[in-house]
Amino acid sequence: MARPRKQTYTLEMYLKKIRSRKISNDADVQRNFVWKNEHINELIATVLTDDYIPPVILGEEDNSQLYIVDGGCRSTALMAFRYGNYKITASIENSLVPYQRKITGDDGNITWEEAVFDIKNKSYDKLPEELKEKFDEYQIETVIHEACDSSKISKYIKRYNNHVAMNTDQKAFTYLDKFAGRIHKIINSRFFADCGSYSEKDKTKGVIERIVVEALMCINHFDNWKTQAKAACKYLNDNAVDEEFDAFTENLHRLESIIGEDIKDIFNKKDSFIFLALFDRFAKLGVEDSRFAEFLRGFKRELRMSRKNRNNLLFDEIDRELSTKDKQVINDKLNMLEGLMLEFLHMDGTKSGSDNMEAFIAENLHMDAEAVKEDMDLYSESLDVLLENTVRLDSKLRNKENRLSLMAMMVYSYKEDRDLDEWMVHFAAANNSYFADQKKNFLFMRADFEKYSAKNSRRSA
């Protein structure tokens, strides 16, 4: 049997052949049009930016009649824009299309200049002439199977459409390209293999990736919580930093050592991200990790039925009227869990730092303790002003137990003659907790400050 032949058309010619029915899009077993506006928008943008579209597969009968085997939805979408007055909707993400605009001078000479056109809410008729030409002249590839009848065409339709489309979670993950490699390493860790209650389907459908994204959002960016997976992925892609992934990976390794068969079902696809966020809070208490496992056993056995929230709801009832991804639901669950955990541990959630602030600062900044002590009033007053202008009153960053590392950062800013104001706004928006180990917390903040400063320097260069 001969190999299929290839044929390239201009898009204008290809669509004219469909209009004249020389190419038919209604084979007997062809499915109905199922695309949504977002799919049509992206296809049109792909054409106008001269990007790649996979070949359309055609079947050719002996009488030269062509049928679309694969690419029917693409073809219908292109027809709707070219001849059906379809308007690109406002939801399109990248609506600005660059092109070369033709300029005819008073003397009749023609020049070309770079221009940008916003295709949002535009139909084909509203495009500049240059973009209309670009659309019509786009080269669309086809692959044609010869000597077909209705049986062969049906076989080819079944063959080429025998695939599984991306689901919502999988598609959302494509917006996290900056950190996708790190997340893939995380989901391949022993924790997700042995320490949770996840089905094989969960692992292939993007559920684990979503759990990681939700946990990172919950731990580091809860003020900017996004209910939809796509929005969360886009936010992390723009705002996350490597240190967040480092800390999360370390937490998973610690959990791998303490989660046994009797409590692994707590880490399921519904609540995993909440308990991972809870462990992040636990990790800052400076308590042996085994105590967290003991708390989970107590929670599973009896504690989950021992307390109600402000709405008189038990833990398992909090999401009965709202979405499990609702910000208030998550906040209520986490606060309840943290309160139960601290009671179980007989703690108030705090851990004191050093009693000697001057010595701590001098040691970590390689300064003379007496010199630090001499200017301590200035540092303290400056820190109070900084916090007043940049950090919410209810933020845990303001806790007295965190004063030591914050003061060290203030002294560091004076020593280096660099302002903290802009960085602190960024840091406070991304963090609402701290490491109980104040040296570790200072080093974390200093690293974040340097990374933020370097990033801004590159932008202004």
Side-chain angles (χ1 to χ4, degrees):
M1 184 172 64
R3 290 174 60 85
R5 73 176 190 270
K6 297 181 179 180
Q7 175 72 54
T8 301
Y9 300 99
T10 65
L11 187 49
E12 182 179 32
M13 180 179 293
Y14 175 74
L15 296 180
K16 283 183 176 179
K17 286 183 176 293
I18 293 178
R19 293 191 81 190
S20 67
R21 300 188 63 80
K22 291 180 181 178
I23 297 177
S24 174
N25 197 14
D26 59 0
D28 291 342
V29 297
Q30 186 65 270
R31 66 176 179 174
N32 293 327
F33 185 68
V34 295
W35 277 20
K36 298 179 181 179
N37 288 339
E38 63 178 293
H39 304 126
I40 304 176
N41 293 344
E42 290 302 319
L43 179 65
I44 304 307
T46 299
V47 171
L48 292 176
T49 55
D50 202 28
D51 215 332
Y52 178 72
I53 296 176
V56 174
I57 312 298
L58 303 174
E60 184 181 52
E61 294 182 337
D62 290 337
N63 61 7
S64 298
Q65 174 65 51
L66 293 164
Y67 287 90
I68 296 176
V69 169
D70 184 61
C73 288
R74 276 173 278 161
S75 301
T76 300
L78 293 167
M79 285 287 290
F81 183 70
R82 181 62 178 83
Y83 297 111
N85 199 37
Y86 174 83
K87 290 184 179 180
I88 296 171
T89 64
S91 63
I92 186 170
E93 291 187 35
N94 301 306
S95 64
L96 299 179
V97 176
Y99 72 102
Q100 293 292 317
R101 180 164 54 195
K102 179 180 176 182
I103 305 295
T104 304
D106 295 337
D107 57 1
N109 290 330
I110 295 175
T111 58
W112 299 87
E113 67 177 14
E114 293 184 358
V116 175
F117 184 76
D118 191 347
I119 60 175
K120 191 179 296 182
N121 297 318
K122 301 297 192 303
S123 63
Y124 173 88
D125 291 339
K126 299 298 182 183
L127 296 179
E129 289 301 319
E130 295 87 350
L131 283 181
K132 288 181 181 178
E133 290 182 8
K134 194 171 187 179
F135 182 90
D136 290 339
E137 294 173 1
Y138 182 84
Q139 302 288 294
I140 188 162
E141 300 175 10
T142 66
V143 176
I144 303 173
H145 289 276
E146 300 175 338
C148 288
D149 55 19
S150 60
S151 176
K152 283 188 176 180
I153 289 172
S154 297
K155 179 185 74 173
Y156 287 133
I157 289 176
K158 180 168 60 177
R159 174 185 296 173
Y160 287 109
N161 288 277
N162 186 24
H163 63 271
V164 179
M166 280 186 169
N167 63 28
T168 301
D169 289 334
Q170 292 165 334
K171 187 178 292 185
F173 191 62
T174 64
Y175 291 88
L176 194 46
D177 54 283
K178 184 177 177 181
F179 297 106
R182 297 214 60 172
I183 291 182
H184 274 136
K185 288 182 180 179
I186 288 172
I187 65 177
N188 289 324
S189 67
R190 192 172 73 80
F191 175 84
F192 288 108
D194 301 331
C195 302
S197 179
Y198 313 111
S199 68
E200 289 305 311
K201 186 177 181 180
D202 292 336
K203 296 175 182 178
T204 60
K205 293 291 186 179
V207 172
I208 309 301
E209 288 91 333
R210 173 174 56 78
I211 289 170
V212 173
V213 167
E214 290 172 344
L216 288 166
M217 283 292 296
C218 209
I219 293 168
N220 303 294
H221 306 278
F222 191 62
D223 286 347
N224 295 288
W225 174 259
K226 311 295 180 185
T227 303
Q228 300 299 321
K230 175 181 172 181
C233 288
K234 291 176 69 175
Y235 183 87
L236 284 182
N237 207 53
D238 293 336
N239 297 279
V241 295
D242 286 328
E243 288 80 4
E244 296 167 10
F245 291 87
D246 294 340
F248 187 71
T249 300
E250 181 184 351
N251 283 352
L252 292 182
H253 290 330
R254 291 168 62 174
L255 285 167
E256 290 167 2
S257 301
I258 62 171
I259 302 301
E261 289 291 328
D262 59 328
I263 51 175
K264 63 187 294 185
D265 58 331
I266 286 178
F267 293 93
N268 52 56
K269 66 179 181 180
K270 177 184 176 183
D271 289 328
S272 278
F273 75 100
I274 292 178
F275 284 96
L276 289 170
L278 180 68
F279 182 76
D280 186 76
R281 297 183 181 185
F282 169 88
K284 295 176 174 61
L285 299 175
V287 181
E288 287 292 326
D289 289 349
S290 59
R291 295 286 285 150
F292 186 75
E294 292 174 13
F295 165 71
L296 292 183
R297 292 186 177 93
F299 175 77
K300 182 177 177 180
R301 183 174 57 251
E302 58 192 15
L303 294 179
R304 72 189 308 152
M305 301 296 292
S306 67
R307 175 178 293 187
K308 295 185 177 182
N309 72 350
R310 54 191 169 78
N311 295 323
N312 201 36
L313 298 174
L314 295 169
F315 179 85
D316 295 308
E317 298 173 333
I318 292 175
D319 57 13
R320 68 182 182 185
E321 294 182 353
L322 295 172
S323 166
T324 57
K325 300 299 186 289
D326 182 85
K327 186 176 182 180
Q328 188 60 57
V329 167
I330 297 166
N331 191 57
D332 285 354
K333 284 186 173 183
L334 260 178
N335 287 341
M336 178 183 288
L337 285 170
E338 186 174 23
L340 289 170
M341 179 179 70
L342 294 176
E343 285 183 9
F344 181 86
L345 298 172
H346 304 293
M347 298 180 67
D348 62 1
T350 63
K351 184 184 178 189
S352 61
S354 171
D355 292 330
N356 192 331
M357 186 172 288
E358 293 87 357
F360 175 87
I361 293 172
E363 177 185 352
N364 287 284
L365 294 180
H366 308 292
M367 296 173 64
D368 180 72
E370 287 300 318
V372 173
K373 186 175 182 179
E374 183 177 338
D375 292 323
M376 189 56 68
D377 289 342
L378 170 64
Y379 300 143
S380 183
E381 181 179 346
S382 298
L383 179 58
D384 289 338
V385 172
L386 176 69
L387 296 178
E388 181 69 26
N389 293 330
T390 60
V391 182
R392 298 190 337 267
L393 289 174
D394 61 344
S395 173
K396 291 185 179 179
L397 296 177
R398 284 176 171 262
N399 285 5
K400 62 180 181 180
E401 291 75 22
N402 195 38
R403 181 83 177 181
L404 194 60
S405 56
L406 287 171
M407 189 69 79
M409 279 301 300
M410 179 54 66
V411 177
Y412 179 72
S413 76
Y414 271 94
K415 182 182 179 184
E416 299 293 321
D417 193 22
R418 296 158 68 187
D419 291 333
L420 298 179
D421 298 64
E422 291 186 6
W423 165 76
M424 184 57 84
V425 171
H426 151 80
F427 186 80
N431 298 272
N432 189 34
S433 58
Y434 54 89
F435 295 104
D437 183 333
Q438 286 293 282
K439 180 175 181 178
K440 183 177 181 180
N441 200 60
F442 165 67
L443 294 175
F444 175 75
M445 288 194 292
R446 187 176 68 179
D448 189 80
F449 173 67
E450 295 298 344
K451 183 171 184 176
Y452 177 83
S453 300
K455 185 176 180 180
N456 281 356
S457 296
R458 289 194 297 270
R459 285 178 177 174
S460 58

